[in-house]
């Protein structure tokens, strides 16, 4: 199985397939090595959008619960070229595995880590650090725990991580709800019993195009679908909604769904006391 981290322009509405439409496309049907990194960043991350602010606030509140260095190993599943989920883990996590199958995304991530992040990422990091003062002053230092790991969801060993994060991945790589469910199941089991899960999903995301490139497969999901998948597999499930961001092009989505939960079992890590 393969995946990347897309969040881009829709090309068709949801609903029944018209006569003669091709069969449901799965993850393996897309050439993720050819992911258009430059176009993707230009469409989504050259400036800080309101939806990014909301996601960062949500995720920072989770990471702030942990003392610096208290998470031995965390996962960013399908990291893609988005740096802010990796920045946010930089205080609590001693090691962050950015698991990524796309050769194009792996090259971008390694360049950003080796040379330091592009200046366009600085407003993102300034917000991250304002919400979590435990982060170091320098963004490159915050990214130091990150290890870029080329690989797929099939390479994950259950119970490896204290915390797993996944942002706009499972719903953005397949048109098959069964495959979406399988990716989410692997995501849950990647953490130890009691481990924390942190995720963001595009709401009602149809298959999409970036720039003038090919159409990439997606599986439209809503809160009901997320609860059907995660409620039997987790405890402490919470889902919040962010309204559609009108500062972005019309991607076909209706907003963002933010999820936190734990894998059932003995607590693997203890959050820092709340101030």
């Amino acid at each position: 199985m393969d995946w990347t981290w897309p969040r881009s322009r829709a090309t068709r509405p949801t609903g029944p397939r018209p006569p003669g439409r091709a069969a449901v496309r799965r993850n393996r049907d897309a050439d993720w090595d050819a992911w258009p990194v430059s176009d993707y960043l230009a469409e989504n991350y050259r400036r800080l959008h309101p939806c990014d602010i909301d996601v960062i606030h949500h995720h920072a509140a989770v990471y702030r619960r942990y003392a610096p260095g208290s998470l031995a190993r965390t996962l960013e599943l399908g990291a893609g070229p988005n740096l802010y989920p990796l920045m946010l883990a930089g205080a609590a996590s001693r090691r962050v595995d950015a698991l990524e199958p796309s050769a194009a995304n792996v090259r971008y991530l390694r360049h950003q880590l080796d040379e330091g992040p592009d200046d366009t990422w600085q407003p993102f990091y300034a917000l991250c650090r304002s919400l979590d003062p435990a982060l170091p002053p320098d963004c490159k230092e915050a990214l130091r725990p990150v290890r870029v790991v080329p690989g797929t969801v099939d390479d994950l060993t259950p119970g490896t991580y204290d915390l797993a994060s996944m942002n706009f991945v499972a719903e953005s790589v397949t048109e098959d709800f069964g495959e979406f469910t399988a990716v989410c199941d692997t995501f849950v089991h990647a953490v130890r019993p009691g481990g924390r899960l942190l995720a963001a999903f595009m709401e009602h995301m149809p298959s999409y195009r970036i720039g003038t490139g090919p159409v990439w497969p997606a599986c439209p999901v809503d809160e009901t679908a997320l609860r059907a998948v995660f409620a039997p597999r987790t405890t402490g499930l919470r889902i919040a909604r962010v309204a559609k961001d009108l500062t972005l092009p019309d991607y076909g989505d209706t907003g963002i769904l933010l999820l936190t939960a734990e894998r059932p079992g003995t607590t693997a890590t203890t959050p820092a006391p709340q101030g």
Side-chain angles (χ1 to χ4, degrees), residues 4-223:
T4 188
W5 193 95
R7 187 189 68 182
S8 294
R9 183 173 297 117
T11 60
R12 64 173 177 83
T14 59
R17 294 174 180 275
R21 173 149 182 105
V24 170
R25 292 181 304 151
R26 294 169 60 86
N27 188 23
R28 64 175 177 262
D29 298 321
D31 181 8
W32 299 112
D33 284 340
W35 182 250
V37 175
S38 295
D39 288 344
Y40 175 70
L41 292 172
E43 288 186 11
N44 291 276
Y45 294 109
R46 289 310 182 203
R47 68 182 181 94
L48 187 62
H49 292 275
C51 65
D52 299 312
I53 294 171
D54 288 333
V55 175
I56 290 171
H57 272 263
H58 177 269
H59 289 13
V62 172
Y63 283 109
R64 273 201 313 270
R65 298 185 63 197
Y66 296 95
S70 62
L71 299 174
R73 191 174 179 186
T74 65
L75 171 69
E76 187 60 39
L77 178 59
N82 180 13
L83 296 188
Y84 72 68
L86 302 173
M87 298 171 184
L88 286 163
S93 303
R94 300 198 297 275
R95 171 173 168 171
V96 183
D97 287 351
L99 188 62
E100 173 57 47
S102 166
N105 285 332
V106 166
R107 286 193 298 271
Y108 177 81
L109 287 171
R110 285 178 168 164
H111 179 78
Q112 295 295 296
L113 296 176
D114 291 345
E115 303 298 326
D118 296 338
D119 289 344
T120 52
W121 289 110
Q122 293 308 313
F124 294 83
Y125 188 65
L127 176 60
C128 291
R129 190 162 186 259
S130 73
L131 297 170
D132 187 356
L135 287 168
D138 181 64
C139 182
K140 187 174 182 179
E141 180 65 24
L143 294 171
R144 194 174 300 279
V146 177
R147 303 291 182 268
V148 180
V149 182
T152 74
V153 71
D154 289 334
D155 297 318
L156 289 172
T157 300
T160 298
Y161 297 97
D162 295 323
L163 180 151
S165 170
M166 176 174 69
N167 291 279
F168 315 112
V169 174
E171 79 282 18
S172 301
V173 299
T174 181
E175 295 176 350
D176 180 7
F177 186 75
E179 188 170 32
F180 166 82
T181 301
V183 173
C184 292
D185 182 75
T186 303
F187 171 64
V188 171
H189 286 90
V191 298
R192 300 185 179 98
R196 181 62 59 90
L197 302 163
L198 177 62
F201 300 86
M202 299 306 294
E203 183 184 53
H204 296 125
M205 180 74 172
S207 294
Y208 54 96
R209 189 190 305 275
I210 298 171
T212 59
V215 176
W216 304 89
C219 180
V221 296
D222 57 13
E223 181 174 346

